[in-house]
């Protein structure tokens, strides 16, 4: 039995675009210590609003993935590791995070990432219902079931696909097209022995993560 809150039907008036203001990570400027822009999701939405292309009530509101949802892919051991701030500091590559109490790390860093993960799972079902969908966040392609890295703490791509395989009738194959400059070693590790999933990954092999095993 799984909680299916992420699979509740979205309002029909909404576009299949999933987002929440909770995606954005802001905490005393610490987020600026990483080259990755941890507020970029809000900037995308604001740009689209300024151009009058979307409005708040046309967007599907993302919900946070629960532990129960995450355990569809993640090991309990891995989720427990995220209760150590220094582990999250290593994954997000923001060293000062190691010195913050974990309840702060959970609320300010991991909750936004869990909400984006929920958004990817929701977008998977929406895409089947509507023919297409976009999650403005997510795409954490360095995270696998038992290991995070490169700013990716949850395996949202693996989760979205496993949810579809397990809960939506008629979905028996998936293709991941990964065009980020870095190798998507997380989903590659997760689906290594799963012939239902075809992965096309275009990346610069000379930079992070250099995961020969996943390749």
């Amino acid at each position: 039995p799984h909680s299916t809150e992420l699979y509740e039907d979205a309002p029909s008036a909404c576009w299949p675009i999933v987002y929440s203001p909770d995606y954005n990570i802001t905490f005393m400027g610490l987020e600026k210590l990483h080259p990755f822009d941890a507020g970029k999701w809000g900037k995308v939405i604001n740009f689209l609003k300024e151009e009058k292309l979307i409005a708040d009530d046309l967007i599907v509101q993302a919900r946070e993935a629960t532990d129960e949802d995450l355990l569809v892919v993640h090991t309990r051991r891995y989720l427990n590791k995220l209760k150590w701030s220094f582990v999250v500091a290593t994954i997000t590559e923001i060293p000062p995070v190691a010195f913050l109490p974990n309840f702060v790390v959970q609320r300010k860093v991991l909750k936004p990432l869990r909400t984006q993960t929920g958004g990817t799972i929701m977008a998977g079902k929406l895409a089947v219902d509507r023919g297409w969908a976009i999650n403005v966040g997510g795409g954490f392609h360095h995270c696998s079931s038992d290991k995070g890295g490169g700013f990716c703490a949850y395996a949202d791509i693996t989760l979205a696909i496993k949810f579809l395989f397990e809960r939506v009738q008629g979905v028996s194959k998936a293709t991941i097209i990964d065009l980020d400059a870095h190798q998507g070693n997380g989903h590659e590790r997760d689906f290594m022995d799963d012939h239902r999933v075809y992965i096309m990954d275009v990346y610069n092999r000379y930079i992070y993560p250099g995961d020969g095993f996943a390749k």
Side-chain angles (χ1 to χ4, degrees):
H2 299 300
S3 82
T4 48
E5 278 200 352
L6 297 175
Y7 264 24
E8 280 175 13
D9 286 332
S12 56
C14 286
W15 287 49
I17 296 172
V18 186
Y19 171 73
S20 163
D22 291 347
Y23 282 13
N24 303 291
I25 298 172
T26 51
F27 186 65
M28 303 190 320
L30 281 183
E31 69 283 354
K32 298 198 171 47
L33 297 171
H34 193 279
F36 188 89
D37 179 356
K40 67 177 182 178
W41 307 285
K43 289 178 184 168
V44 168
I45 290 292
N46 287 336
F47 173 80
L48 293 171
K49 278 191 196 161
E50 280 166 18
E51 295 292 315
K52 304 269 190 289
L53 293 168
I54 53 170
D56 278 333
D57 53 359
L58 294 177
I59 302 169
V60 176
Q61 281 296 314
R63 296 181 181 199
E64 184 181 353
T66 63
D67 265 15
E68 200 180 347
D69 298 322
L70 297 168
L71 286 165
V72 169
V73 165
H74 287 296
T75 60
R76 172 65 71 189
R77 184 172 154 266
Y78 174 69
L79 294 182
N80 284 340
K81 271 202 214 156
L82 297 178
K83 294 178 179 155
W84 295 90
S85 297
F86 74 88
V87 172
V88 181
T90 308
I91 290 170
T92 56
E93 299 163 352
I94 307 173
V97 164
F99 303 106
L100 296 173
N102 191 257
F103 76 90
V104 175
V105 174
Q106 290 290 335
R107 196 171 66 225
K108 291 292 190 177
V109 180
L110 292 177
K111 187 178 184 216
L113 301 181
R114 279 195 299 270
T115 308
Q116 293 188 40
T117 298
T120 303
I121 295 168
M122 291 166 73
K125 175 167 188 293
L126 267 171
V128 172
D129 292 346
R130 308 276 187 95
W132 66 278
I134 293 168
N135 179 19
V136 175
F140 303 131
H141 65 165
H142 298 306
C143 189
S144 59
S145 63
D146 60 353
K147 192 173 192 299
F151 210 85
C152 304
Y154 302 105
D156 69 317
I157 298 168
T158 309
L159 275 157
I161 292 172
K162 288 232 162 126
F163 260 71
L164 289 171
F165 284 165
E166 285 182 18
R167 305 181 193 190
V168 176
Q169 281 228 291
V171 178
S172 57
K173 282 189 180 146
T175 300
I176 297 170
I177 300 174
D178 189 338
L179 303 178
D180 186 272
H182 304 97
Q183 177 193 6
N185 59 324
H187 56 71
E188 287 164 6
R189 282 172 173 262
D190 284 338
F191 290 121
M192 196 167 281
D193 302 315
D194 193 330
H195 299 299
R196 298 171 298 177
V197 179
Y198 178 81
I199 297 171
M200 182 184 109
D201 189 3
V202 182
Y203 60 91
N204 177 349
R205 66 181 180 176
Y206 299 110
I207 58 175
Y208 178 90
D211 189 336
F213 176 72
K215 178 173 185 282

